Amino acid sequence: MLLLNHRMLKKTFSKISIILLCIIILSFILRIVNISDNPPAMYGDELTMLLDVNSILHSGYDTTGKFLPLNFTMGGGRPVGYGYFSIPFVALFGANSLGIRLLSVFSGVGIVLVVYFISKRLFSEKIGLFAALLMAISPWDLSMSR
């Protein structure tokens, strides 16, 4: 009996894992395709963030001359968490739209996973998968992840 339950659990876990992996891959593909060209130009917030991140990457100072600031004064005093987490992407891919937008792509995929785990915990495995799928293809979340 124990062996049968173990096999059944392993088969179910495997099936659910494959479905979740497919949803995550779909989510990533929808967010990464044409990320440099869509939207066609960077927004003002992205530009000021990129200037500050690139400056901190190369000198440790933001564009206003503050050393490792706790907020960016240029652009209305935005918190720097997003900027500091964007530094590796800008270092790897350059000071361009891809470098500054990749953190948003990975955050969007992460949100799909978070929705899955919360829905699974609150409701059931199937509801969690369905909620993750809806979040993966949600036009609003896709727009925010770009």
Side-chain angles (χ1 to χ4, degrees):
M1 184 75 177
L2 183 61
L3 185 61
L4 179 64
N5 288 338
H6 178 64
R7 285 182 188 165
M8 185 182 298
L9 181 65
K10 188 175 178 182
K11 184 177 179 182
T12 303
F13 179 74
S14 172
K15 182 180 177 184
I16 289 170
S17 298
I18 290 170
I19 293 170
L20 182 60
L21 182 64
C22 290
I23 291 171
I24 295 301
I25 290 170
L26 172 69
S27 173
F28 181 75
I29 289 171
L30 290 174
R31 283 158 177 75
I32 198 71
V33 170
N34 282 340
I35 191 67
S36 296
D37 302 326
N38 188 13
M42 286 195 281
Y43 298 111
D45 288 343
E46 288 176 318
L47 288 170
T48 58
M49 181 71 69
L50 184 61
L51 286 171
D52 281 327
V53 167
N54 196 38
S55 180
I56 288 173
L57 174 66
H58 293 295
S59 67
Y61 293 91
D62 71 352
T63 53
T64 61
K66 291 183 183 176
F67 181 72
L68 298 176
L70 295 178
N71 66 355
F72 291 135
T73 54
M74 188 169 95
R78 287 175 279 111
V80 296
Y82 185 88
Y84 285 134
F85 285 117
S86 295
I87 288 174
F89 299 109
V90 172
L92 287 173
F93 297 102
N96 54 34
S97 58
L98 177 65
I100 202 69
R101 290 178 181 167
L102 270 178
L103 182 60
S104 290
V105 169
F106 289 119
S107 298
V109 173
I111 287 172
V112 172
L113 275 173
V114 168
V115 165
Y116 165 74
F117 286 118
I118 289 174
S119 300
K120 176 184 163 188
R121 174 85 181 206
L122 292 176
F123 303 106
S124 69
E125 195 88 41
K126 289 181 181 180
I127 298 292
L129 288 172
F130 186 67
L133 177 64
L134 288 179
M135 186 58 79
I137 62 173
S138 165
W140 177 81
D141 192 55
L142 285 169
S143 175
M144 293 295 115
S145 297
R146 298 184 78 80

